[in-house]
Amino acid sequence: MNVTQLLLIKTFTKTESINQELTTIADRNMKYLNQTEATNIDIELFNDYKFSVDQLMELAGQSVAHAIAKSFPVEKLSSKKLLVCCGPGNNGGDGLVAARHLSLMGYTPVIYYPKMVDKELYRNLVHQCKSMDIEMVQSVDLEQTKDFGLIVDALFGFSFKPPVRPDFLNIMDVMRRTDVPIASIDIPSGWDVENGPPEDGIKPALLISLTAPKLCANQFNGKFHYLGGRFVPPSLQEKYKLNLPTYPGVDTCVQI
């Protein structure tokens, strides 16, 4: 190795160190949202900034897929099969979008969607997944999870209020008991958006916060925490003093 190569390596290492330090400083100042703030930001994105639900869902779901690929590369998983558990709301829609993108990244997603929403948006998302030959199942038990390298938790978002509805009691129990790592979208399902996990809450290895982290993320102690959804207008960031970290390059997600 010559002197020029050594200098380049040292410069790159120093730059990486500075970037990590700046990200750490940004993380300390980043705002964690309560439920009302999270709801109001969504309302403003729809009403004031004229984003559509499906537009934000596509951006969020794509960033989720990218965060999963960074945290759990397909070649390092015990199986390239992913179990994507989708709920009836927007969080479930994010999961459907993420499954479609993950299928293009070399993974084999299998969608568990016990309560499909009879609205055009969700029918279209399901149609898109089926058109890409993504398998959909109506039941999952603990033994079956051994076939998967990762479980994607897209059941409940920040509007969740306990108790868990009967349709989802089984899958929640499965996620509590499985040894397969879990990637939760925005909120670990069953957690209180502000107060964090219940006593028997799931313990995801990866949390992908969307728009900005929610207060419960302060109690997340898994391996990876990403911020996804590179779509928040600067003026909205300033209004709510979000202090979001800088996304690297052209990435749609950033580790926090």
Side-chain angles (χ1 to χ4, degrees):
M1 187 177 293
N2 59 39
V3 174
T4 302
Q5 288 173 320
L6 284 171
L7 286 172
L8 285 172
I9 290 172
K10 288 181 179 179
T11 302
F12 176 79
T13 303
K14 185 177 181 181
T15 302
E16 284 293 297
S17 177
I18 292 171
N19 288 339
Q20 289 174 3
E21 185 177 346
L22 290 173
T23 299
T24 302
I25 293 170
D27 291 351
R28 292 197 203 106
N29 297 322
M30 185 168 44
K31 185 168 186 177
Y32 284 58
L33 304 175
N34 62 37
Q35 193 169 41
T36 299
E37 290 169 329
T39 301
N40 288 342
I41 286 175
D42 263 11
I43 290 172
E44 291 192 36
L45 285 169
F46 296 140
N47 294 342
D48 298 343
Y49 292 89
K50 305 304 178 185
F51 283 95
S52 62
V53 175
D54 53 341
Q55 184 181 10
L56 290 181
M57 203 171 279
E58 186 68 28
L59 292 166
Q62 184 181 49
S63 70
V64 166
H66 289 176
I68 289 172
K70 287 175 179 290
S71 304
F72 296 97
V74 65
E75 66 274 8
K76 294 185 178 180
L77 286 177
S78 61
S79 169
K80 66 179 183 179
K81 288 182 66 177
L82 309 181
L83 179 63
V84 185
C85 303
C86 297
N90 289 350
N91 201 259
D94 295 340
L96 293 169
V97 172
R100 174 161 40 82
H101 285 285
L102 287 164
S103 73
L104 297 171
M105 298 177 185
Y107 299 87
T108 305
V110 175
I111 297 172
Y112 172 67
Y113 194 19
K115 195 169 181 62
M116 294 189 186
V117 179
D118 190 22
K119 292 182 180 179
E120 184 179 13
L121 168 59
Y122 297 94
R123 290 196 300 268
N124 289 345
L125 292 175
V126 169
H127 177 80
Q128 290 162 9
C129 289
K130 288 182 176 179
S131 297
M132 296 180 67
D133 296 322
I134 297 175
E135 182 183 0
M136 304 193 75
V137 297
Q138 291 299 307
S139 64
V140 176
D141 59 36
L142 185 62
E143 184 65 24
Q144 289 172 316
T145 62
K146 295 178 182 179
D147 296 332
F148 297 96
L150 182 73
I151 296 173
V152 181
D153 163 31
L155 293 177
F156 314 125
F158 63 75
S159 60
F160 170 78
K161 295 184 184 299
V164 175
R165 285 185 278 175
D167 291 325
F168 300 97
L169 288 174
N170 176 67
I171 191 61
M172 287 297 298
D173 183 60
V174 167
M175 289 199 297
R176 278 191 291 265
R177 297 168 59 198
T178 186
D179 293 327
V180 177
I182 297 171
S184 289
I185 299 178
D186 207 23
I187 303 288
S189 290
W191 285 31
D192 183 283
V193 66
E194 296 177 6
N195 299 318
E199 187 175 343
D200 61 345
I202 67 171
K203 296 177 174 62
L206 165 64
L207 174 63
I208 310 107
S209 294
L210 298 174
T211 305
K214 315 309 181 287
L215 281 173
C216 67
N218 280 310
Q219 298 185 54
F220 171 72
N221 57 8
K223 190 173 183 181
F224 305 104
H225 186 190
Y226 273 83
L227 178 65
R230 192 176 184 172
F231 51 69
V232 185
S235 56
L236 191 59
Q237 292 189 42
E238 177 61 30
K239 178 177 178 178
Y240 285 90
K241 308 299 181 187
L242 298 181
N243 295 313
L244 300 180
T246 301
Y247 285 81
V250 296
D251 284 1
T252 60
C253 58
V254 56
Q255 189 167 7
I256 55 178

